[in-house]
Amino acid sequence: MGGYDQIEKDLVETRYLSVSKCNLLQALSVLAEQFLCEINETMFSERYIQEAICFHYTISKLICEAFYNKFNPKDVREDIYNEKIVLAKEAIKNIDSGKYKHDKRRKTILSFIVSLVESILKTNFFCIDKLAIGFRLSPHFLDQIPEFDRTTKYPELPFGIFFIYNKNFFGFQIRFRDLARGGLRTVINKDMETALFQKTNMFGECYNLAYTQQKKNKDIPEGGSKGIIFLHPNNVKKDIEIIKKKLTLEGYSGNIEEIIKNYENNARNEYLYSMQKCFLNTFLTLIVANKDGTIKERNIIDYYKHPEYIYLGPDENMHDCMIEWLANESKRMEYFAKGAFISGKEETGINHKEYGVTSIGVFEYVKLGLDYLKLNNYTMKITGGPNGDVAGNLIHLVKKEHTGRCKITSISSSVCAILDNQGIDINELDQMFLKGKALQYFNPDKLHDDGYMIRIDQRRTYQPFVEQFKIYNKKNGKVEENWIEINKGMRLYETTVHQNVVDVFCPCGGRPYTLNENNAQSFFVNDKPTAKIIVEGANLYLTPKARDVLEKSGVLIFKDSSANKCGVVSSSYEILGGLALDDDQFIAIKKQYAKEILNRLVTIAQGEGNCMLQAYDAKYNSSLVSISEEISRRINEYTDCIQEFLAPLNLFDTSNKKYLNVYIKYIPECLNLYKEQLMTRIPQMHMKAIIATSLATHLVYSKGLVWHVSIVDILPNLL
């Protein structure tokens, strides 16, 4: 559950403010912490933010009243709202307790909370059946974080920011263009210590993922976005202890551990799904609009006054059952995209894991890197288990196309790491992928001599205060089961992959910033990097500084926004099909549609990869990462310019037929059966975005980065 709560104690229990107003202040305190921690993480923790709110309770009450005057549908008074905001700012300015440091901190906190209230454009706060509190904010408040240069950490202002709060979670959805798509991930915290460690960086993580997505989405009409749900730990451990005692006292003779394990899994999933539903229902409430663009929920006062075109995709801890639920919920709540709101559906979608769409791109970049360095037989290491989407499908592709050419010598997952310099049994790994089995269930008998497998999910208490992890070692053809002290075991688990010397490293799983400037040296043995090529199958696995260190050491790095972009391209085509077709029509052509999409993914990956390597050979830049960034920047710049030009046009005017033809050419051949629906069901805004990105990507991939517009290029249009 959520952590510290002084507001409830000081303002609710004393009946100074209503429960609703205190809930508002709690939401604002959690939101404010994400940004004020940029100044000082200790001084502006949630504890100190709530202390300031409670210490100056009269100002806090004034802020609440201003919020009510702005958004209460029964009593909207913008004039009174403006007056109270002025009064609140004046009261904050006049704070003087005689203790300068405390006054300065409290002034900073309360002033920023006022800025947040001013930035809120719509909220579901006054909806009767709300499951969480949601805000749609103007992103300009990022420029009002005191003593903080926004451009140093957030170089580009997002197009829109959503914040959603509940006692059990909070989350963000950030997008960089009006029309945007991106995944929704849930960060699960097993204990409060982990939660407190990760909590204050959630906006930063969401921003960086969305910003990476914006660069990655250069090949598709939708701009980049990302959603994150930060889930507080639940109380399942207390329940487990009660169940254990009950079964023991009753003399239960069965397998108690099995019962506990099943209960824990069911309770964890029930908690996860219920909180995801709260977040998503709140999010949809804030964006579902009538046909005229006005917000559908009558208890929402909307100062934004524009429809919002947003699509989601699956990401960490988004299970298939929730994907299907969300598609149905979008239809039930009558969002314009209906089931196309979420990609990755089983029947009416192109499931990423089933078709391996992301891994197709990753594998193409592996092949491009091998060809560039003229490597034939090669070794590879991977993060991410065989049951994962990207890692599992990459293993499958390696077995299918490079058996005998590639040896995977190390691999790690969230609880297990394996090292086998003679090559981990590829058939065993592939079978685990096909059966959806996690890495810890790898058969140790399949190891070669001197190979090992460490499992940090298997631990024992050896002596008082001495814990150990299970490790399997293969020696003289036999597997030995041993135990290793927890500190040595954790070190071995964390460095197994990074220290293994190979040709190609594919990070396909792991938390953001796993390899950073503080531990980059773990990727070196005898002062040499442990891989010649890195293909980033996972987002943000490396920090920019870690990339810089490795590139300067001669590593060829294919950045995440290039290497794993094929997943978003597939999702974009799924959205196009979902918008244009009825469910039965989509299902009827799905097999052929998927085949055509997969072919396009290979072409798109090769197009950018070749463009990057040509620029690298031409000495355009000594950094392949910088070249990737420049390709994204150039395409997005061209796309925005073309979209601005197309915005006032009616594509169905005969004079604009040449632009409409670009849209028609973009459509996969099997969709041409439904050409009329593609013209009537796809919003013109979406069609124009397709035209713009098609022209921009073709221009950059065909002309390269060394090309710039010249008078000769535009001469035909001047005559």
Side-chain angles (χ1 to χ4, degrees):
M1 304 299 169
Y4 187 76
D5 197 352
Q6 185 179 343
I7 291 172
E8 184 172 346
K9 181 181 177 183
D10 288 5
L11 302 182
V12 175
E13 292 178 9
T14 59
R15 299 189 179 183
Y16 182 75
L17 287 177
S18 67
V19 172
S20 292
K21 287 180 179 175
C22 286
N23 285 339
L24 170 63
L25 291 172
Q26 286 161 342
L28 289 169
S29 70
V30 171
L31 178 59
E33 182 187 33
Q34 292 290 308
F35 307 101
L36 293 177
C37 277
E38 303 288 2
I39 311 169
N40 186 305
E41 199 164 333
T42 303
M43 284 178 60
F44 297 106
S45 66
E46 188 183 355
R47 178 183 292 270
Y48 279 114
I49 291 170
Q50 291 203 14
E51 185 274 339
I53 288 170
C54 294
F55 191 86
H56 293 289
Y57 52 86
T58 55
I59 297 175
S60 300
K61 184 178 181 181
L62 200 56
I63 293 170
C64 288
E65 289 171 352
F67 180 89
Y68 270 59
N69 290 133
K70 184 177 181 180
F71 290 110
N72 188 343
K74 295 179 180 177
D75 189 27
V76 174
R77 291 291 302 273
E78 287 190 63
D79 54 339
I80 298 177
Y81 158 75
N82 289 323
E83 287 175 11
K84 287 184 177 175
I85 288 292
V86 170
L87 288 172
K89 288 180 177 179
E90 190 66 26
I92 293 166
K93 183 180 177 182
N94 292 329
I95 287 175
D96 185 3
S97 68
K99 298 175 181 177
Y100 174 76
K101 286 185 178 179
H102 293 320
D103 287 345
K104 184 182 178 183
R105 184 187 73 247
R106 291 167 184 154
K107 283 181 179 182
T108 299
I109 290 167
L110 293 169
S111 294
F112 187 65
I113 288 175
V114 170
S115 297
L116 291 175
V117 171
E118 290 180 302
S119 299
I120 298 170
L121 299 173
K122 53 184 170 180
T123 177
N124 72 328
F125 185 81
F126 293 96
C127 296
I128 297 169
D129 298 324
K130 66 179 180 289
L131 302 172
I133 297 171
F135 303 142
R136 167 42 161 110
L137 299 112
S138 165
H140 293 284
F141 75 86
L142 291 172
D143 286 320
Q144 297 171 31
I145 302 172
E147 301 174 30
F148 176 70
D149 180 3
R150 187 263 302 168
T151 59
T152 59
K153 188 167 182 180
Y154 308 122
E156 183 179 336
L157 271 180
F159 182 88
I161 297 171
F162 288 85
F163 171 73
I164 296 172
Y165 166 83
N166 174 295
K167 288 275 189 180
N168 297 308
F169 71 84
F170 69 88
F172 293 95
Q173 203 281 341
I174 301 170
R175 77 188 198 271
F176 279 88
R177 294 295 183 271
D178 192 359
L179 175 68
R181 77 155 304 280
L184 174 66
R185 63 172 50 185
T186 302
V187 177
I188 297 173
N189 295 284
K190 295 179 180 178
D191 52 56
M192 191 55 70
E193 183 180 7
T194 306
L196 290 172
F197 177 75
Q198 297 195 99
K199 179 186 175 189
T200 56
N201 192 43
M202 283 302 101
F203 179 84
E205 182 174 321
C206 191
Y207 176 95
N208 286 326
L209 288 165
Y211 195 43
T212 298
Q213 195 83 20
Q214 172 62 19
K215 298 169 187 175
K216 188 191 301 186
N217 284 19
K218 55 189 170 287
D219 298 88
I220 63 175
E222 301 89 357
S225 71
K226 205 72 175 182
I228 279 188
I229 303 172
F230 180 85
L231 201 59
H232 291 295
N234 62 9
N235 291 323
V236 69
K237 287 184 179 179
K238 292 181 181 179
D239 296 340
I240 286 170
E241 291 304 316
I242 293 169
I243 293 168
K244 272 186 179 179
K245 287 180 181 178
K246 182 176 182 294
L247 292 173
T248 304
L249 288 171
E250 290 175 352
Y252 181 74
S253 59
N255 189 335
I256 292 178
E257 290 303 319
E258 189 67 26
I259 290 175
I260 294 299
K261 185 179 179 181
N262 290 335
Y263 175 83
E264 188 174 6
N265 287 337
N266 291 336
R268 186 186 298 116
N269 285 337
E270 185 179 345
Y271 179 61
L272 171 67
Y273 299 154
S274 62
M275 294 305 106
Q276 287 176 334
K277 287 176 182 179
C278 288
F279 179 96
L280 290 162
N281 179 274
T282 304
F283 184 57
L284 278 166
T285 301
L286 290 169
I287 63 174
V288 172
N290 297 310
K291 288 184 178 180
D292 63 359
T294 57
I295 201 79
K296 186 178 179 183
E297 170 55 58
R298 58 188 176 85
N299 286 316
I300 292 179
I301 303 300
D302 182 10
Y303 291 92
Y304 181 59
K305 297 180 180 177
H306 297 284
E308 310 225 40
Y309 299 94
I310 305 171
Y311 306 96
L312 301 183
D315 205 326
E316 290 178 11
N317 297 308
M318 188 68 159
H319 300 161
D320 289 347
C321 61
M322 280 303 300
I323 294 172
E324 299 300 329
W325 175 87
L326 181 54
N328 291 325
E329 184 72 355
S330 176
K331 293 175 187 176
R332 185 189 71 80
M333 295 183 70
E334 298 181 346
Y335 187 49
F336 88 97
K338 300 179 182 176
F341 177 50
I342 176 74
S343 58
K345 300 177 291 295
E346 186 174 353
E347 272 199 316
T348 56
I350 310 298
N351 186 280
H352 283 204
K353 189 171 183 179
E354 180 183 351
Y355 289 94
V357 291
T358 305
S359 303
I360 284 173
V362 173
F363 194 50
E364 285 302 315
Y365 276 93
V366 169
K367 290 189 283 188
L368 284 166
L370 293 171
D371 290 345
Y372 186 80
L373 295 183
K374 296 180 172 56
L375 295 173
N376 187 23
N377 294 333
Y378 66 100
T379 51
M380 176 186 282
K381 57 184 177 181
I382 300 172
T383 59
N387 61 326
D389 168 15
V390 185
N393 275 292
L394 180 60
I395 289 166
H396 188 63
L397 286 168
V398 167
K399 180 185 181 296
K400 182 180 176 182
E401 297 189 28
H402 282 184
T403 295
R405 185 180 173 188
C406 174
K407 286 182 181 179
I408 297 173
T409 56
S410 63
I411 184 170
S412 67
S413 69
S414 60
V415 297
C416 179
I418 299 174
L419 176 74
D420 189 336
N421 283 317
Q422 295 183 55
I424 302 170
D425 192 306
I426 190 71
N427 293 313
E428 178 76 2
L429 288 176
D430 189 51
Q431 283 301 307
M432 293 176 75
F433 160 68
L434 295 172
K435 294 175 182 178
K437 294 177 72 174
L439 186 63
Q440 61 265 34
Y441 300 111
F442 181 88
N443 182 358
D445 290 330
K446 299 286 185 178
L447 292 169
H448 296 94
D449 277 358
D450 298 322
Y452 66 79
M453 178 171 83
I454 182 167
R455 290 183 58 171
I456 63 171
D457 63 326
Q458 288 192 334
R459 59 198 295 169
R460 71 173 184 178
T461 302
Y462 176 59
Q463 293 175 349
F465 310 111
V466 178
E467 289 193 286
Q468 297 176 320
F469 290 138
K470 175 69 73 68
I471 184 169
Y472 300 86
N473 300 92
K474 188 76 172 281
K475 292 181 179 179
N476 300 318
K478 293 183 179 180
V479 175
E480 298 177 359
E481 293 188 21
N482 298 307
W483 295 90
I484 183 171
E485 287 187 15
I486 204 165
N487 56 339
K488 293 179 181 177
M490 185 57 72
R491 174 69 179 165
L492 184 65
Y493 161 75
E494 290 176 344
T495 59
T496 288
V497 171
H498 287 181
Q499 286 279 288
N500 183 216
V501 179
V502 296
D503 297 309
V504 180
F505 173 40
C506 292
C508 297
R511 292 291 297 143
Y513 322 123
T514 296
L515 192 57
N516 54 67
E517 54 271 26
N518 297 318
N519 68 358
Q521 288 306 312
S522 71
F523 207 80
F524 287 78
V525 171
N526 298 326
D527 296 325
K528 292 183 179 179
T530 58
K532 299 181 179 78
I533 302 166
I534 296 178
V535 181
E536 297 183 28
N539 289 326
L540 303 181
Y541 186 88
L542 288 82
T543 63
K545 288 183 179 178
R547 289 191 188 110
D548 188 50
V549 168
L550 292 168
E551 280 200 309
K552 286 177 178 176
S553 300
V555 181
L556 205 64
I557 300 178
F558 293 100
K559 190 176 176 292
D560 48 10
S561 55
S562 298
N564 66 44
K565 68 177 183 176
C566 285
V568 305
V569 178
S570 172
S571 294
S572 180
Y573 277 111
E574 181 183 331
I575 289 167
L576 179 67
L579 289 173
L581 308 182
D582 297 331
D583 286 353
D584 58 339
Q585 293 173 330
F586 190 100
I587 293 167
I589 66 161
K590 178 178 174 177
K591 190 174 181 180
Q592 181 60 28
Y593 192 38
K595 183 179 178 181
E596 291 182 28
I597 290 171
L598 296 182
N599 289 335
R600 290 195 177 198
L601 298 183
V602 172
T603 302
I604 287 168
Q606 290 176 347
E608 184 180 3
N610 286 323
C611 180
M612 289 170 65
L613 291 171
Q614 286 165 12
Y616 192 63
D617 272 342
K619 310 296 183 188
Y620 179 85
N621 195 302
S622 60
S623 163
L624 206 56
V625 169
S626 297
I627 290 171
S628 171
E629 294 269 3
E630 177 59 19
I631 287 173
S632 294
R633 190 200 66 77
R634 191 84 63 91
I635 290 174
N636 285 333
E637 179 187 341
Y638 291 169
T639 298
D640 290 343
C641 289
I642 297 168
Q643 274 194 272
E644 187 177 348
F645 167 77
L646 293 173
L649 304 183
N650 181 353
L651 293 176
F652 298 115
D653 285 351
T654 53
S655 58
N656 296 323
K657 187 178 179 181
K658 57 186 176 183
Y659 303 122
L660 194 60
N661 285 339
V662 177
Y663 167 66
I664 293 168
K665 186 179 178 182
Y666 177 88
I667 296 165
E669 190 176 336
C670 66
L671 285 188
N672 286 326
L673 292 168
Y674 307 99
K675 197 168 184 179
E676 184 179 342
Q677 290 173 214
L678 284 158
M679 296 298 171
T680 57
R681 295 187 181 184
I682 306 298
Q684 278 212 32
M685 175 192 184
H686 198 124
M687 294 166 70
K688 290 171 184 176
I690 286 174
I691 295 165
T693 195
S694 295
L695 293 172
T697 51
H698 173 72
L699 198 59
V700 173
Y701 293 161
S702 62
K703 298 282 189 180
L705 291 181
V706 294
W707 174 82
H708 291 279
V709 178
S710 68
I711 190 67
V712 174
D713 294 302
I714 64 171
L715 190 59
N717 295 314
L718 299 176
L719 298 176

